[in-house]
């Protein structure tokens, strides 16, 4: 059996994939809690159209996809905040417009199909040096920006009106989050593909939320589970010779299932313990158990 | 009971304020001032413009005519948000499994602007501890807000509003969904805050019983301001004009 680390392309894939795996759930936490999970799917299709245009123009697909998806994210934020369209209608508008552009670009250009498939289904092992550097720099930049705007992002996610009354510049924070999402989605498209990028944003986040911890810890757990999903998925895909994107997302689903079952088990055991405590009134800690459980 | 600060400008002033959603008027030439230390109840039927007035007071909407002064300053130029506490009727986070502890949420009330190190700061500062104590929820500090009862969640929002030393507390129907003991606890907390800190309270409510027993003044609105009077001077006629129907007012004296 070959050693995965003997291959430079796999080492690059693991590093870049791990970075994307960390960034996706961190952004995903804010998106899921704002009920904007499907924005990732929409922006991924926009990024796919951008990548197709890049391939047609013989430019770096990733570097063309980035400004295209950034512009779409700003359009979505404007439609949402100005309430010109309902949230799902604006997502549908942008998604199908982008798909139409992608289809037309593909029909105009002969021989683009194979290249576009790499972005549709993801293929990190074919990442170029430009891709690797772009993903590394932009992932670290996104993490830095989330760190700098941590309170603003959390407060405007908790409740935008309450945040505005506290003096948080919610409009500008939302624009930054939209741009960060477009960048993250575009980078992730190279790893898991446009069709599955939403899964890498949402599944580790949902798994982390099962832990029932505070916001910082939820972000950390999500980042760990996202990176774990990518690293395990890539390793499995290498040894089993299966599509990396699918392997990564199936790993994330397995982790989510384990986290959900784990939480249910904890709740069940907690309820059984509380019932047992109540049936023994002489137990001194019986009254305080419920209050301290979440601490 | 109220601690009026004679030299200070009113906590809130509506000066001939009007606002419409499209062609539908919501607030029509409303003028009144909430003096420091008062407990003003804002009442009126559904769709009467109460929540719009709150939005105008907090600068969330701009009046189409007239002006709003918050703690003596034009609201559109107001920046000292730490002096104002707001408890909304509905909070986005309570409808999702928001992963924040009580102390994290209360610490949001201490927001002072961009802080690059905020990610690394502890939520449980002495100021947050004081806010938790004032709201009577110290024992909940490490619980997730999404796991609390409705009454406890309202107390968290009040602690969040108080933690920065707010002088004006604005509450939009804070007892919605609370049972009777929960409502009584909430009003006991407001009474204590007003007595101990002289805090000014503007409360939107549908509960006339609460208005009569807790508020010092009542503003009756239905697009227009029909009455703005001390509670003991409120008449059935004021309520009838506001609600557009006959209202009997029976005040029970509690021992």
């Amino acid at each position: 059996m070959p050693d995965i680390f003997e291959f430079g392309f796999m080492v690059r894939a693991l590093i870049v994939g791990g970075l994307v795996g960390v960034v996706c759930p961190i952004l995903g936490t804010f998106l899921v809690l704002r009920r904007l999970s499907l924005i990732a799917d929409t922006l991924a299709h926009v990024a796919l159209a951008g990548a197709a245009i890049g391939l047609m123009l013989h430019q770096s697909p990733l570097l063309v996809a980035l400004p295209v998806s950034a512009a779409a994210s700003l359009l979505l934020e404007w439609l949402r905040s100005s309430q010109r369209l309902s949230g799902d209608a604006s997502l549908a508008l942008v998604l199908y417009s982008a798909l139409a552009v992608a289809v037309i670009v593909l029909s105009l250009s002969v021989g683009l199909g194979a290249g576009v498939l790499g972005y549709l289904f993801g293929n990190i092992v074919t990442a170029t040096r430009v891709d690797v550097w772009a993903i590394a720099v932009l992932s670290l930049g996104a993490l830095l920006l989330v760190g700098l705007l941590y309170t603003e992002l959390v407060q405007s996610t908790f409740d935008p009106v309450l945040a505005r009354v506290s003096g948080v510049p919610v409009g500008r924070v939302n624009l930054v989050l939209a741009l960060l999402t477009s960048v993250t989605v575009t980078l992730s498209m190279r790893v898991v593909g446009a069709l599955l990028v939403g899964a890498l944003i949402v599944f580790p986040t949902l798994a982390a939320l099962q832990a029932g911890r505070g916001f910082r810890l939820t972000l950390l757990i999500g980042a760990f589970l996202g990176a774990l999903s990518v690293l395990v998925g890539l390793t499995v895909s290498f040894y089993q010779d299966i599509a990396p994107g699918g392997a990564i997302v199936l790993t994330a689903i397995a982790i989510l299932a384990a986290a959900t079952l784990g939480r249910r088990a904890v709740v069940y055991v907690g309820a059984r313990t509380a019932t047992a405590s109540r049936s023994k009134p002489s137990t001194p800690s019986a009254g305080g158990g419920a209050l301290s459980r979440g601490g | 009971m109220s601690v009026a600060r004679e030299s200070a400008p009113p906590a809130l002033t509506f000066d001939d304020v009007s606002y419409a959603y499209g062609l539908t008027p919501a607030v029509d030439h409303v003028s009144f001032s909430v003096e420091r230390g008062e407990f003003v109840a804002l009442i009126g039927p559904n769709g009467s413009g109460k929540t719009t007035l709150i939005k105008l007071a907090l600068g969330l909407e701009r009046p189409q005519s007239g002006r709003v002064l918050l703690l003596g300053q034009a609201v559109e130029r107001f920046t000292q948000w730490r002096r104002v506490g707001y408890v909304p009727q509905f909070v986005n986070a309570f409808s999702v499994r928001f992963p924040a502890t009580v102390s994290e949420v209360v610490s949001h009330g201490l927001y002072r602007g961009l802080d690059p190190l905020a990610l690394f700061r502890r939520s449980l500062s002495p100021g947050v501890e004081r806010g938790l104590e004032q709201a009577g929820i110290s024992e909940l500090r490490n619980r997730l807000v999404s796991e609390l009862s409705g009454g406890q969640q309202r107390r968290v929002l009040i602690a969040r509003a108080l933690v920065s030393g707010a002088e004006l507390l604005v509450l939009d129907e804070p007892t919605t969904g609370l049972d009777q003991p929960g409502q009584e606890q909430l009003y006991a907390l407001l009474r204590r805050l007003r007595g101990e800190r002289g805090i000014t309270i503007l409360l939107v409510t549908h509960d006339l019983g609460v208005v009569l027993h807790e508020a010092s003044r009542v503003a009756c609105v239905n697009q227009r301001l029909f009455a703005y009077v001390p509670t003991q001077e409120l008449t059935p006629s004021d309520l009838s004009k506001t609600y557009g129907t006959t209202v009997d007012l029976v005040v029970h004296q509690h021992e």
Side-chain angles (χ1 to χ4, degrees), chain B residues 52-72:
Chain B
T52 303
L53 274 174
I54 296 291
K55 286 180 180 173
L56 291 163
L58 298 172
L60 298 169
E61 301 284 358
R62 295 279 173 88
Q64 282 146 0
S65 68
R67 60 183 188 145
V68 178
L69 300 178
L70 191 56
L71 296 165

Side-chain angles (χ1 to χ4, degrees), chain A residues 35 152 155 166 214-216, chain B residues 92 95 99 111 118-119 121 160:
Chain A
R35 301 174 193 273
E152 286 78 6
Q155 290 218 36
S166 294
F215 212 99
R216 292 177 180 85
Chain B
N92 173 57
S95 60
Y111 181 72
L119 180 60
R121 293 197 199 285
R160 182 195 182 283

Side-chain angles (χ1 to χ4, degrees), chain A residues 29 32-35 146-152 154-169 209-210 212-216 218-219 263 290-295, chain B residues 58-60 81 84 86-88 90-101 104-105 108-109 111 113-116 118-123 139-140 142-145 147 157 160:
Chain A
T29 305
V32 167
L33 293 171
R34 290 168 180 237
R35 301 174 193 273
V146 169
L148 284 175
L149 295 175
Y150 173 74
T151 302
E152 286 78 6
V154 174
Q155 290 218 36
S156 49
T157 303
F158 183 78
D159 190 78
V161 173
L162 205 50
R164 273 181 69 186
V165 176
S166 294
V168 176
L209 287 171
Q210 301 299 319
R213 298 293 172 176
F215 212 99
R216 292 177 180 85
T218 301
L219 288 180
R263 179 179 173 81
L291 276 183
S292 58
R293 200 169 54 228
Chain B
L58 298 172
L60 298 169
W81 291 108
V84 179
Y86 173 48
V87 180
F90 173 80
V91 168
N92 173 57
F94 293 158
S95 60
V96 295
R97 192 185 283 169
F98 200 88
T101 60
E104 278 179 281
V105 173
H108 292 172
Y111 181 72
L114 190 64
D115 176 7
L119 180 60
F120 306 103
R121 293 197 199 285
R122 288 184 69 234
S123 303
E139 77 281 5
L140 302 176
N142 293 322
R143 296 276 302 276
L144 287 187
V145 283
E147 292 177 350
L157 293 180
R160 182 195 182 283

Side-chain angles (χ1 to χ4, degrees), chain A residues 10-294:
Chain A
M10 277 310 296
V11 172
R12 279 201 301 276
L14 289 170
I15 293 170
V16 169
L19 270 173
V20 168
V22 165
V23 177
C24 275
I26 286 180
L27 264 295
T29 305
F30 297 107
L31 297 175
V32 167
L33 293 171
R34 290 168 180 237
R35 301 174 193 273
L36 291 174
S37 303
L38 288 178
I39 200 173
D41 203 35
T42 300
L43 290 177
H45 285 85
V46 174
L48 181 71
I53 293 170
L55 285 168
M56 185 178 74
L57 299 175
H58 304 291
Q59 301 295 319
S60 163
L62 212 52
L63 295 185
V64 176
L66 275 169
V68 171
S69 66
S73 72
L74 295 180
L75 173 65
L76 279 172
E77 178 54 28
W78 178 71
L79 288 170
R80 192 186 66 81
S81 59
S82 63
Q83 298 180 336
R84 285 171 195 277
L85 273 181
S86 66
D88 56 344
S90 54
L91 288 177
L93 176 79
V94 174
L95 190 153
Y96 295 120
S97 303
L99 270 182
V101 170
V103 169
I104 287 174
V105 168
L106 281 174
S107 69
L108 287 176
S109 315
V110 180
L112 277 191
V116 171
L117 281 181
Y119 291 90
L120 189 62
F121 296 110
N123 199 352
I124 187 65
V125 293
T126 62
T128 64
R129 275 189 186 280
V130 173
D131 293 338
V132 170
W133 275 106
I135 289 172
V137 169
L138 292 173
S139 297
L140 291 173
L143 287 177
L144 189 65
L145 211 49
V146 169
L148 284 175
L149 295 175
Y150 173 74
T151 302
E152 286 78 6
L153 283 166
V154 174
Q155 290 218 36
S156 49
T157 303
F158 183 78
D159 190 78
V161 173
L162 205 50
R164 273 181 69 186
V165 176
S166 294
V168 176
V170 174
R172 275 177 276 168
V173 171
N174 287 347
L175 284 179
V176 171
L177 181 64
L179 285 171
L180 279 176
T181 305
S182 70
V183 169
T184 305
V185 162
T186 308
L187 303 181
S188 311
M189 180 177 65
R190 201 73 178 95
V191 180
V192 289
L195 289 179
L196 293 172
V197 68
L200 195 52
I201 287 198
V202 173
F203 290 165
T205 301
L206 292 177
L209 287 171
Q210 301 299 319
R213 298 293 172 176
F215 212 99
R216 292 177 180 85
L217 210 48
T218 301
L219 288 180
L220 278 176
I221 294 169
F224 172 74
L225 296 179
L228 186 68
S229 303
V230 173
L231 299 181
V232 171
L234 276 176
T235 307
V236 170
S237 79
F238 176 78
Y239 286 112
Q240 297 300 318
D241 197 21
I242 56 176
I248 290 167
V249 172
L250 285 179
T251 307
I253 291 173
I255 290 172
L256 173 59
T260 307
L261 287 174
R263 179 179 173 81
R264 291 197 174 189
V266 167
V267 170
Y268 177 75
V269 170
R272 288 286 297 262
T273 307
T275 307
S277 299
R278 274 198 297 275
S279 65
K280 295 177 188 171
S282 58
T283 306
S285 60
L291 276 183
S292 58
R293 200 169 54 228

Side-chain angles (χ1 to χ4, degrees), chain B residues 43 208 220 234-245 247 249:
Chain B
I43 62 169
L208 289 178
C220 302
L234 184 69
T235 64
S237 167
D238 294 331
L239 295 174
S240 298
K241 280 187 281 183
T242 306
Y243 286 88
T245 182
V247 177
L249 202 57

